[in-house]
Amino acid sequence: MTQTEHPRSRPGQQAGIPQSAAPLPRVWLVCNAASGSNDDASVSRVEENLADAGFPVVRTLRFPEEDAPTPAVLDAAQVDLLVTFGGDGTTHSVVAAASGWSGAVLVLPGGTMNMLPKRLHGDVPVEEIVARLAGGPLDTVRPTVIASRHGIGLTGVLAGPGTVWNEVREAMRAVNIVEFVNTARQAISWSANGPKVFCAESDCGREDGYAAITVTPGENGLEANGYYAESLADYAGQGIALLNRDFRDGPHDSLGSHRRLKLVCPDGEPMGLLIDGEPFDGGAEEEFYLATCEVDLVTTRNAS
């Protein structure tokens, strides 16, 4: 990760001036009511936590009803810090929209898995993350990400027929029991019979392909794993692992670390594709590259 520091407030703050006399940073907050922790009460608590730490929110945007702000919008409003409070999909949209901006983005855990906040802050609650911000400059990084024709992936890619389990997850999130049972049955069948996905690199796993391949960004390369099953019972068990986004619980092969990775469906059919947990239209071939995030992300891992 590339690491830098951001001042607490806009340019013009002079060293030695007490914090109370310095202008407060302009903070925007983006939240998503569909994410796991984004009810009105939790959003209010986040706003209170930020204000207590010296980062009062001047505007709260409700995504996706309101668009994720672009650098031009943020600069026009003289925003210093953009805070996102939502799940992996919301975070993906906010960070992607802010790419190229000169300010900093604070990613707070507000979803189910919260993969990027854990990478930036550790597995800690919002209150602790925000409390770490008080009293000093912001520590920021530009972590490695996954680049593709679809844009960036901050936390990971899932490719193959196993992506059908995303529909099961959405049915469970909506507490729709009938839909959950129906989609779970379909997912087991499609995982077993749908077009497998292959890693096209040399010495990259099984010749008969996988029900799902995951790609995650590491410091030195893209880490790939292939997930398979030999029976419907195995598919059902693996589906629950995919549903929970804890892919390590499913039977898999390590497919190595790569700077560049090509995945293919030899049948010529479009592959199922999730990026940061959100569905995309996959092709018969997809290429992924190791890249660097194009906006500074606040990290508190080194905070005392």
Side-chain angles (χ1 to χ4, degrees):
M1 296 185 183
T2 302
Q3 194 156 327
T4 57
E5 286 189 351
H6 278 264
R8 290 176 51 84
S9 59
R10 292 192 297 278
Q13 178 178 345
Q14 299 178 11
I17 296 179
Q19 185 61 42
S20 60
L24 292 172
R26 286 185 64 82
V27 180
W28 278 14
L29 171 66
V30 180
C31 59
N32 184 346
S35 296
S37 306
N38 270 218
D39 57 25
D40 290 341
S42 62
V43 171
S44 295
R45 284 194 297 272
V46 169
E47 292 171 338
E48 292 171 2
N49 294 151
L50 287 165
D52 290 343
F55 296 88
V57 175
V58 298
R59 182 180 176 186
T60 297
L61 290 81
R62 304 285 175 166
F63 180 85
E65 290 80 7
E66 296 177 90
D67 292 336
T70 63
V73 170
L74 294 166
D75 287 341
Q78 295 184 300
V79 175
D80 300 300
L81 179 67
L82 178 63
V83 182
T84 176
F85 178 54
D88 292 335
T90 301
T91 298
H92 171 102
S93 296
V94 172
V95 173
S99 290
W101 183 44
S102 60
V105 179
L106 171 64
V107 180
L108 296 177
T112 304
M113 293 302 293
N114 303 311
M115 302 296 286
L116 187 59
K118 289 176 182 176
R119 189 178 179 190
L120 295 169
H121 312 295
D123 191 4
V124 294
V126 168
E127 294 79 8
E128 181 173 340
I129 294 169
V130 175
R132 294 172 180 175
L133 304 178
L138 299 181
D139 195 10
T140 64
V141 294
R142 292 201 170 196
T144 54
V145 297
I146 303 169
S148 74
R149 68 186 181 92
H150 303 284
I152 63 168
L154 299 170
T155 60
V157 167
L158 173 63
T163 57
V164 72
W165 284 96
N166 184 65
E167 298 176 20
V168 184
R169 184 177 60 152
E170 292 304 315
M172 187 175 73
R173 178 185 292 178
V175 199
N176 187 329
I177 301 302
V178 173
E179 184 68 15
F180 172 76
V181 172
N182 289 337
T183 53
R185 288 173 178 167
Q186 294 167 6
I188 292 172
S189 175
W190 185 248
S191 296
N193 302 308
K196 299 296 186 290
V197 63
F198 295 70
C199 178
E201 312 306 322
S202 60
D203 299 324
C204 202
R206 295 184 168 203
E207 293 182 358
D208 55 350
Y210 296 92
I213 291 179
T214 61
V215 183
T216 55
E219 293 305 308
N220 300 307
L222 303 177
E223 304 293 335
N225 288 291
Y227 292 78
Y228 55 89
E230 306 298 340
S231 69
L232 288 181
D234 287 337
Y235 279 110
Q238 186 179 140
I240 297 302
L242 296 176
L243 183 66
N244 292 322
R245 295 291 304 281
D246 188 0
F247 305 123
R248 292 171 296 183
D249 287 351
H252 69 276
D253 293 331
S254 173
L255 304 181
S257 179
H258 310 265
R259 304 287 297 186
R260 171 178 175 174
L261 186 68
K262 179 187 285 188
L263 303 181
V264 299
C265 274
D267 293 341
E269 297 188 43
M271 69 181 70
L273 187 64
L274 299 177
I275 300 177
D276 293 341
E278 298 298 311
F280 286 79
D281 293 329
E285 295 186 0
E286 294 288 348
E287 291 194 52
F288 305 97
Y289 309 85
L290 188 69
T292 301
C293 184
E294 294 184 356
V295 66
D296 289 336
L297 305 182
V298 176
T299 178
T300 63
R301 275 193 170 276
N302 297 325
S304 57

